[in-house]
């Protein structure tokens, strides 16, 4: 597949990375890709100064892991397909990937891995939401609209439906992934075509292949069911999934090694060799009696008679008699008499259910004790005793059993970063307050200095200019752009250095003003940003905050005052589309009585991933099982999705007695 001429990059994490010279020439050596050398990989440097690595080397690392993962995925998948041919020779009559198909998908996948971050926002993830700042009247980001239109115009007719399939107005993917995809379609189609001609000269690209690159980057799967598209969905998950993918594997290993946080040792090569496809049978209103096995999300059973058990299911049961919908939690053991379940047991037992419907909301194992009579619509993993002749077969992503020993450690390593590093108060103060605040105040300054008298121009318009991509995907502010250029103010694909230089330049301009009191906030932000003279924080983690109510109760208050104040602050932050807010004057006055000044609230989110042990599918020879069939649920940590408000201030440390007094005074102020 790869010609002999390659360029070798030395990576401190993965060793030597070989990349074909044509990819280096046509993609890596371009201005857009080289920009990534000046985009910090993480926001953790305020906490770990040694974590100085960038999106450039991360992109090369993801490319390297992608080549390894795809090789293992292809080899394992071919074995699965061959075994199906042996069980049913007629299976060969369906579309099956040939060698050229695999070569084409591999190169497309490797390009997606390499370019997935090519338009990443400055300062890691701190500012990327500003890519979504401009929206249409329905609240849909302009970037999402333009990407969707571009992919549909390439012949991917189902893209719009698939893109918005989860109901979000933003569409699939995070902002930098969507902008990276759009950049590829705008600027790199000729480059990608040249790469294919050099490396796979007998294989031609069509327009939908470029849309497939975008799908891999943003994680947008096909809803249409076919053998080819189901395997493509598995490939999409190799790069962008909700649990384990090559992007996540690189940053977990790289961030840990480069920062010095070496608390986890991940044998990622074992995972890379374990990706595979698992065959499923798709039924559409078919009468079958044997429904024992693992059924996937959305499967529907229209029942005449059923008695059996559903293991590990989030089920929706509708009965004609009761005319109600009943939700049964995972592993809860109850009959259908009740619809409120709080406990989690081993299974759902269903006896004598007549004239009803079962809809599965996650992968479930259904065991039969008596016959099932009715019709089925859904997808079931192929078991060793299933007859596949003339059945509608497609595939889902699974894992070879060899990866089981390292799966949980990989998730724990990722969660450790997000839970204890990216939500750390020092990291949040620097990124969510100082950097975001400086960007906003810089836009305010430019707006004040350069708009025409009585002109309705808002600082948000300047933010999109500062980010440096506005004129690429939205030229509605052409007049504003021209005016800035007349004053020799240019913004083009901004990186970390560009923004830091802008912040310094504006600070010097403000210093020259005769009356700069209007920009006191900017001066304060910049001096804190450059000197690292930061405020103290009331609690240092979301877990520490959980103990505050108990501390208040011990001192005679009940935390109602602080809680109400934080709720108000959270609402104000959301309304202003910021991540921080200063305490109001009356609150500041209350705190100042205790010697506490400049109270600031920064809102962060502690969010972790978890393995869905019912949907994580593992291949054992000719059998497939869910992870929960192999391991006890107690082995896997629960996911965390919490908002936390950090309270920063100037002054002496606050002890528990003072905290309790503040809580009482806040309760009185709000008349609670």
């Amino acid at each position: 597949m790869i010609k002999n001429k390659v360029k070798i990059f030395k990576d401190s994490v993965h060793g030597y990375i070989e990349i074909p010279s044509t990819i280096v020439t046509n993609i890596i050596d371009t201005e857009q890709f080289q920009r990534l050398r000046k985009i910090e990989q993480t926001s953790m440097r305020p906490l770990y100064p040694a974590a100085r690595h960038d999106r450039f080397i991360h992109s090369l690392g993801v490319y390297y892991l992608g080549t390894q993962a795809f090789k293992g995925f292809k080899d394992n998948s071919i074995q699965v397909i061959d075994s199906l041919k042996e069980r049913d020779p007629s299976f060969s009559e369906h579309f099956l990937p040939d060698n050229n198909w695999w070569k084409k998908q591999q190169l497309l996948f490797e390009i997606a891995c390499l370019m997935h971050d090519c338009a990443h926002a400055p300062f890691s993830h701190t500012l990327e939401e500003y890519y979504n700042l401009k929206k249409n009247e329905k609240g849909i980001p302009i970037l999402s609209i333009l990407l969707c239109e571009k992919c549909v115009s390439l012949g991917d007719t189902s893209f719009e439906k698939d893109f918005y399939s989860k109901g979000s107005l933003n569409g699939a993917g995070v902002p930098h992934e969507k902008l990276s995809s759009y950049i590829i379609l705008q600027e790199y189609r000729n480059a990608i075509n040249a790469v294919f001609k050099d490396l796979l000269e007998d294989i031609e690209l069509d327009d939908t292949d470029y849309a497939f690159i975008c799908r891999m980057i943003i994680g947008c799967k096909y809803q249409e069911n076919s053998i080819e598209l189901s395997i493509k969905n598995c490939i999409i998950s190799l790069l962008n999934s909700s649990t384990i993918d090559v992007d996540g594997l690189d940053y977990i290993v790289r961030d840990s090694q480069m920062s010095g946080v070496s608390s986890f040792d991940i044998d990622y090569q074992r995972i890379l060799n374990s990706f595979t496809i698992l065959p499923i049978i798709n039924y559409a209103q078919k009468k079958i009696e044997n429904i024992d096995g693992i059924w996937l999300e959305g499967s529907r059973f229209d029942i005449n008679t059923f008695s059996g058990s559903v293991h590990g299911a989030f089920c929706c049961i509708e009965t004609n008699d009761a005319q109600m919908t009943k939700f049964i939690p995972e592993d809860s053991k109850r009959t259908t008499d009740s619809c409120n379940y709080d406990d989690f047991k081993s299974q759902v037992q269903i006896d004598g259910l007549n004239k009803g419907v079962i809809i599965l909301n996650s992968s479930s194992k259904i065991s039969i004790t008596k016959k099932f009579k009715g019709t089925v619509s859904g997808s079931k993993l192929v078991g060793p005793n299933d007859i596949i002749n003339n059945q509608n077969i497609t595939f889902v992503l699974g894992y070879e059993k060899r990866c089981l020993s390292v799966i949980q450690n990989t998730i724990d390593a990722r969660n450790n970063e997000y839970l204890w590093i990216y939500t750390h108060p020092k990291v949040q103060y620097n990124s969510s307050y100082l950097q975001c605040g400086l960007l906003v105040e810089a836009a305010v300054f430019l707006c004040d200095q350069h708009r025409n008298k009585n002109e309705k121009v808002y600082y948000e318009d300047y933010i999109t200019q500062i980010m440096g991509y506005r004129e690429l995907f939205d030229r509605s502010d052409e007049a504003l752009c021209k005016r800035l250029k007349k004053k020799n103010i240019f913004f083009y694909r901004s990186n970390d250095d560009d923004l830091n230089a802008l912040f310094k330049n504006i600070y010097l301009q403000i210093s020259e003003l005769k009356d700069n009191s209007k920009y006191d906030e900017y001066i304060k932000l910049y001096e804190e940003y450059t000197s690292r003279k930061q405020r103290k924080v009331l609690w240092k983690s979301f877990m520490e905050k959980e103990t505050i109510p108990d501390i208040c109760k011990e001192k005679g208050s009940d935390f109602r005052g602080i809680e109400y104040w934080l709720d108000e602050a959270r609402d104000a932050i959301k309304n202003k589309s910021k991540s921080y807010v200063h305490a109001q004057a009356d609150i500041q006055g209350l705190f100042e009585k205790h010697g506490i000044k400049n109270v600031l609230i920064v809102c962060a989110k502690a969010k972790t991933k978890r393995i869905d042990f019912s949907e994580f599918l593992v291949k054992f020879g000719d059998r497939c099982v869910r992870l929960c069939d192999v391991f006890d649920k107690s082995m896997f940590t629960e996911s965390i999705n919490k908002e936390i408000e950090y309270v920063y201030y100037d002054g002496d440390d606050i002890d528990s007695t003072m905290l309790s007094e503040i809580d009482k005074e806040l309760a009185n102020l709000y008349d609670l």
Side-chain angles (χ1 to χ4, degrees), residues 522-536:
Y522 187 93
I523 294 171
K524 187 176 182 181
L525 283 163
Y526 184 79
E527 290 179 349
E528 285 193 44
Y529 183 56
T530 53
S531 66
R532 299 279 299 153
K533 294 178 182 177
Q534 297 183 357
R535 309 177 204 195
K536 295 180 180 178

Side-chain angles (χ1 to χ4, degrees), residues 54-119:
D54 52 48
R55 291 279 161 179
F56 179 85
I57 191 58
H58 165 67
S59 297
L60 300 190
V62 175
Y63 169 87
Y64 170 78
L65 295 184
T67 61
Q68 307 298 307
F70 197 95
K71 182 180 183 304
F73 172 75
K74 180 182 74 172
D75 292 345
N76 294 333
S77 299
I78 289 173
Q79 289 183 21
V80 171
I81 291 171
D82 288 344
S83 68
L84 288 174
K85 290 178 182 177
E86 291 178 6
R87 290 178 62 176
D88 176 17
S90 67
F91 186 65
S92 300
E93 298 173 6
H94 299 281
F95 164 85
L96 294 177
D98 59 17
N99 192 41
N100 281 346
W101 188 91
W102 283 113
K103 286 180 179 180
K104 182 179 186 179
Q105 307 315 313
Q106 178 169 355
L107 188 49
L108 289 171
F109 177 72
E110 290 171 354
I111 290 170
C113 289
L114 184 66
M115 302 195 71
H116 76 286
D117 274 352
C118 69

Side-chain angles (χ1 to χ4, degrees), residues 21-46:
S21 295
T22 183
I23 293 179
V24 176
T25 301
N26 286 286
I27 297 175
I28 294 176
D29 285 349
T30 61
E31 171 269 332
Q32 176 68 36
F33 198 91
Q34 291 294 315
R35 166 185 171 273
L36 297 180
R37 292 181 183 270
K38 293 181 172 63
I39 301 288
E40 201 76 52
Q41 169 70 12
T42 75
S43 57
M44 66 168 68
R45 287 194 63 221

